[in-house]
Amino acid sequence: MSLNLEFFNRPTNITAKVVCDSVSEQGVRLTTFEIEYPRFIHGEFMTHRTLSKNSSSSRAIPIQKMLNQVESNMALPIYWGKNKSGMQAVEEVQGLEKDMSQLEWKNAYYKAKESVEWMVETPNLHKQVPNRLTEPFQMMKVVVTGTDWDNFFNLRIHPDARPEICMLAYKMYKAMEQS
């Protein structure tokens, strides 16, 4: 993956905005963001323990509302890396392979949706169970506050980072730069 303007200008529903930014008398900057990103990178974001976070919960959202959210704002990979050994895909699939991969991702959601609807109708399960099946396709909102962002930006705006968290970190960096 090449980190260039072309990569960072890809269309994505990953967002970051600064909602509060202040500097203490001691010169310490405290910045709070509202961010939205695919739930499938949430675990990676949570590894940054110096940041204070509060996130939306799929257990709290009614099933139909969650399905509507996914269908209007589906989490999709932003980089369709070609298989190779190691943790980073260097080359991206192109053309028909990329189109078919995106279609198969969306088809997987509709298969999961069928299971969710069955779980709601037949055994009448509580939302905390069937909503878990939609998690790979969910976008989630998080409010995050911190004073030390350098480590996060250095680790995540990097070619070795997963593309989606790289995009998130870049958008956060740019929002912070403009604040």
Side-chain angles (χ1 to χ4, degrees):
M1 177 178 80
S2 185
L3 295 186
N4 53 33
L5 215 45
E6 182 182 338
F7 173 79
F8 291 116
N9 285 330
R10 287 175 179 233
T12 180
N13 50 356
I14 296 170
T15 62
K17 71 177 179 177
V18 173
V19 293
C20 192
D21 204 1
S22 61
V23 178
S24 73
E25 292 177 6
Q26 293 77 26
V28 178
R29 183 177 183 181
L30 179 68
T31 307
T32 300
F33 291 91
E34 179 184 278
I35 55 180
E36 188 170 14
Y37 57 82
R39 183 174 282 280
F40 59 75
I41 64 167
H42 187 56
E44 290 176 61
F45 187 72
M46 292 301 288
T47 63
H48 296 278
R49 294 179 47 214
T50 62
L51 306 176
S52 178
K53 310 163 211 73
N54 191 342
S55 60
S56 59
S57 168
S58 62
R59 289 183 59 217
I61 301 171
I63 293 168
Q64 193 54 54
K65 186 174 181 182
M66 180 58 70
L67 294 173
N68 292 343
Q69 283 179 4
V70 170
E71 289 178 22
S72 67
N73 191 26
M74 185 180 292
L76 295 164
I78 61 171
Y79 184 85
W80 299 85
K82 191 173 213 132
N83 189 28
K84 66 176 257 336
S85 63
M87 288 179 58
Q88 295 86 24
V90 178
E91 185 183 354
E92 187 172 28
V93 297
Q94 299 294 322
L96 186 59
E97 289 176 325
K98 184 175 180 178
D99 294 342
M100 294 303 292
S101 297
Q102 291 169 339
L103 182 62
E104 192 58 35
W105 181 272
K106 291 175 184 176
N107 285 340
Y109 163 70
Y110 288 108
K111 290 174 189 173
K113 180 183 175 187
E114 285 179 19
S115 296
V116 166
E117 289 170 340
W118 180 87
M119 288 177 173
V120 171
E121 293 168 12
T122 304
N124 194 26
L125 293 177
H126 186 273
K127 64 189 171 198
Q128 72 182 359
V129 176
N131 268 352
R132 295 292 184 206
L133 294 178
T134 64
E135 285 186 353
F137 313 101
Q138 292 174 17
M139 295 292 289
M140 66 183 301
K141 288 191 184 227
V142 174
V143 174
V144 58
T145 301
T147 57
D148 183 13
W149 291 96
D150 291 345
N151 185 51
F152 174 76
F153 293 139
N154 288 332
L155 288 172
R156 299 306 183 171
I157 306 174
H158 191 279
D160 290 343
R162 182 177 173 119
E164 294 79 13
I165 201 162
C166 181
M167 180 68 78
L168 173 65
Y170 176 79
K171 288 188 175 225
M172 291 172 73
Y173 179 83
K174 289 309 227 179
M176 193 170 174
E177 191 176 63
Q178 293 171 5
S179 176

